[in-house]
Amino acid sequence: MTLANGLEFFNLLFAGLLAGEEFVIRFGVRGPLAGLEQGTQIALRQALIRKLRVLVPTIFFLALLSGGAATALGGGGSGFDLRCAGVLALLAFIGVTLGGTVPINKAALAWDPASPPPQWRTLVARWEMLDTVRTWAALAAFGLFLAGSFGR
């Protein structure tokens, strides 16, 4: 196995984990979470933020680093454009994260579940819209990296 093949393997692994995690949050967790009573919903959101604010960035940065390295070492041959597009999708993911969901998560951690701020539902709705963008960016990155791997 070459270094480029090893990096591509790790890239597919971490891009797939990121896409899967985002997919489950978007399509599996959000609906049931929204149906909970206000205080329970906020407390669970806070618990998820605390847990995922370490896990997701770790997976993301491993996907980005391995994706960039696999793209650079893979040469400009077949699949190069797809791998470059995958890296761009990950950069879109981090842009939406840092510019949108992180500030909302930071604010949400300070909410009192028994007495949240009046605009909390508006902020959650904005977070959910941004998370949908993140989900599609992660899925696109994984799909693009996967398609690019067939060019080898």
Side-chain angles (χ1 to χ4, degrees), residues 88-123:
L88 289 175
L90 288 177
L91 292 175
F93 177 95
I94 196 64
V96 170
T97 300
L98 295 177
T101 59
V102 167
I104 295 170
N105 286 347
K106 186 177 179 184
L109 286 172
W111 297 345
D112 176 359
S115 180
Q119 79 282 12
W120 79 272
R121 289 191 191 276
T122 302
L123 288 171

Side-chain angles (χ1 to χ4, degrees), residues 121-141:
R121 289 191 191 276
T122 302
L123 288 171
V124 166
R126 176 156 173 71
W127 184 94
E128 289 179 348
M129 183 272 303
L130 293 167
D131 185 60
T132 298
V133 173
R134 284 170 28 115
T135 300
W136 287 110
L139 290 168

Side-chain angles (χ1 to χ4, degrees), residues 31-51:
L33 182 60
L36 296 174
E37 178 271 324
Q38 171 183 297
T40 304
Q41 180 183 156
I42 290 171
L44 183 53
R45 286 182 184 280
Q46 291 170 333
L48 286 168
I49 291 166
R50 284 185 195 98
K51 180 61 82 173

